[in-house]
Amino acid sequence: MTQAVSTMEMARMEMPEHSSGVLLRSAVICLTAFLTVVDLFATQAILPSLTRAYHVTPAAMGFAVNSSTIGMAVAGLVVSLFSQHIDRRLGILMSLALLSIPTALLAIAPDLTTFTMLRIAQGLCMASAFTLTLAYLGEECSAADAAGAFAAYITGNVASNLIGRLISAAVADHLGLASNFYFFAALNLAGAVLVYYTIAQTTPMLQMGSAARSPFTAWITHLRNPRLRAAFGIGFCILFAFIGTFTYVNFVLVRPPLSLGPMELGFVYFVFLPSVVTTLLAGRAVHRWGTRPTLWGSLALAGVGMTLLLLPNLAAVLLGMVLIGVGTFFAQATATGFVSRAATADRGSASGIYLACYFAGGLVGTAILGQVFDRIGWPACVAGIALSLGMAAVLALRLKTAE
């Protein structure tokens, strides 16, 4: 965004020289991200109410709610295939506008199957907007500004973890489940309006002579790049660890000796609050120390948090959750920015593959760690999460490119 963003026109995401312009640009990027993925996290806050409404087990409802990640993984791959032919602004705008349709229809979903399909549709729309926005930032930001822009975008993602869940719980409690989904459909439309007024017209990043190329050519190019392959693997490991932690730690919190009640469990969402602030610093950290040291520091912080989750003390567990949130989101912001810088062509395609791997890690983490948790227990689950963080740290050895 340029300084003209004050008039709601953004021709390029260039860093304004004065601090107010920097803050305004970051705020708009952050808000765009928030409105893009707020539906992904908000529904998790009303899982008990949905379970009662559909008369199903918690496991069945949990799968239905998290099925949005299936759509997100698929959309990431599809967008990566056709990224060169998609107008960034139009694609983001249409994705957010269309997102409001399945969101509103969730209010009247007659059964769990319909609910699940609508959540997958939500995932398709969210990931399309997410992938195209990352591509837009990578193409329009200068090399010096890219890390900060990506950090601001991931910060909006972080904020949606906290604020989306709190809003959803409050609206559903006071106005009912149907009103909750209508409210979030309105937020989706607000995101489309924001994009309409803040992103200027762009053109497909189709290079001369590329029309005859197979869309798989970009995939092959990216997958031949060892740095990008490592980054894709890191993305997989990050969400594997994040989902594993924040899905199954809830069962630990409600069991003895911690024994939190429903209201107390709701306040646990505030463990994401520090991440809203710290993730914005990822860009500066990359500029100062480089990608690999920043990633290693982030993963180490999350690793320290993992050890605290095993203690039979509420304060220790909450601190551990804070550290894991800060570490994984910081690592996510760092890895996302790296993918855009390391891609030699068609950044949209590279971002799509990264996000597909990222959300696939969440799906695999949910499946594998759920079985580990049920069959062996929480300590084994924590060990599996720690192993994923360790694998991400090893993969970071391959991230050697211009910062």
Side-chain angles (χ1 to χ4, degrees):
M1 302 176 187
T2 65
Q3 296 176 14
V5 73
S6 59
T7 62
M8 305 308 287
E9 293 182 0
M10 179 178 15
R12 288 185 179 276
M13 291 283 187
E14 296 177 350
M15 176 72 76
E17 295 183 357
H18 53 82
S19 58
S20 61
V22 174
L23 291 175
L24 182 58
R25 183 201 72 164
S26 296
V28 173
I29 294 173
C30 185
L31 182 58
T32 301
F34 175 86
L35 294 172
T36 298
V37 296
V38 66
D39 299 274
L40 178 62
F41 307 106
T43 310
Q44 295 177 354
I46 55 174
L47 266 172
S49 298
L50 288 170
T51 300
R52 291 191 296 269
Y54 284 94
H55 306 289
V56 295
T57 65
M61 198 70 238
F63 177 82
V65 166
N66 289 320
S67 62
S68 55
T69 56
I70 299 174
M72 298 191 84
V74 171
L77 291 176
V78 172
V79 172
S80 73
L81 275 177
F82 302 103
S83 172
Q84 291 183 339
H85 305 271
I86 300 175
D87 179 279
R88 306 303 190 224
R89 178 179 183 271
L90 180 61
I92 299 168
L93 184 62
M94 289 186 62
S95 295
L96 291 176
L98 290 173
L99 174 59
S100 65
I101 298 175
T103 303
L105 290 176
L106 283 169
I108 57 173
D111 52 52
L112 192 62
T113 300
T114 304
F115 187 97
T116 301
M117 297 306 296
L118 289 172
R119 284 292 287 173
I120 293 174
Q122 279 187 306
L124 290 169
C125 295
M126 283 187 280
S128 297
F130 199 101
T131 304
L132 292 172
T133 303
L134 291 181
Y136 179 86
L137 293 176
E139 292 156 359
E140 300 298 327
C141 284
S142 65
D145 299 338
F150 285 115
Y153 195 74
I154 300 303
T155 298
N157 185 319
V158 178
S160 68
N161 268 278
L162 169 61
I163 300 174
R165 289 173 176 175
L166 293 176
I167 292 175
S168 181
V171 173
D173 184 50
H174 289 86
L175 302 176
L177 288 174
S179 296
N180 170 79
F181 293 115
Y182 291 136
F183 180 84
F184 279 91
L187 288 183
N188 301 151
L189 293 176
V193 171
L194 179 66
V195 168
Y196 180 84
Y197 284 107
T198 59
I199 295 183
Q201 184 67 42
T202 60
T203 55
M205 299 300 290
L206 187 61
Q207 303 300 322
M208 183 177 299
S210 63
R213 297 171 60 190
S214 165
F216 290 99
T217 301
W219 273 21
I220 295 172
T221 300
H222 297 321
L223 294 175
R224 283 177 175 172
N225 186 330
R227 297 181 295 251
L228 285 177
R229 289 201 305 269
F232 299 154
I234 289 171
F236 181 97
C237 292
I238 289 173
L239 197 60
F240 184 103
F242 180 86
I243 289 289
T245 299
F246 290 99
T247 296
Y248 300 108
V249 74
N250 293 295
F251 297 99
V252 176
L253 290 170
V254 299
R255 294 174 179 174
L258 303 180
S259 304
L260 295 187
M263 183 64 69
E264 295 169 316
L265 190 60
F267 286 110
V268 169
Y269 297 146
F270 281 100
V271 298
F272 293 117
L273 189 58
S275 301
V276 176
V277 178
T278 58
T279 305
L280 278 171
L281 304 176
R284 295 183 183 180
V286 170
H287 281 305
R288 182 167 182 178
W289 294 297
T291 296
R292 291 189 296 171
T294 301
L295 265 174
W296 284 328
S298 304
L299 296 170
L301 189 66
V304 171
M306 294 306 310
T307 62
L308 297 177
L309 296 184
L310 296 173
L311 300 179
N313 178 275
L314 181 59
V317 173
L318 293 178
L319 177 59
M321 293 171 69
V322 169
L323 295 179
I324 294 167
V326 170
T328 53
F329 279 118
F330 213 90
Q332 162 71 339
T334 303
T336 302
F338 176 86
V339 169
S340 180
R341 297 193 304 276
T344 56
D346 193 3
R347 291 186 175 96
S349 175
S351 295
I353 297 174
Y354 174 83
L355 287 176
C357 293
Y358 178 74
F359 290 113
L363 286 172
V364 175
T366 300
I368 293 179
L369 293 175
Q371 293 298 313
V372 172
F373 182 82
D374 284 343
R375 297 172 184 273
I376 307 177
W378 177 237
C381 187
V382 169
I385 297 167
L387 179 61
S388 177
L389 294 174
M391 291 176 62
V394 172
L395 288 170
L397 289 169
R398 293 176 172 242
L399 304 186
K400 296 191 247 181
T401 190
E403 306 293 351

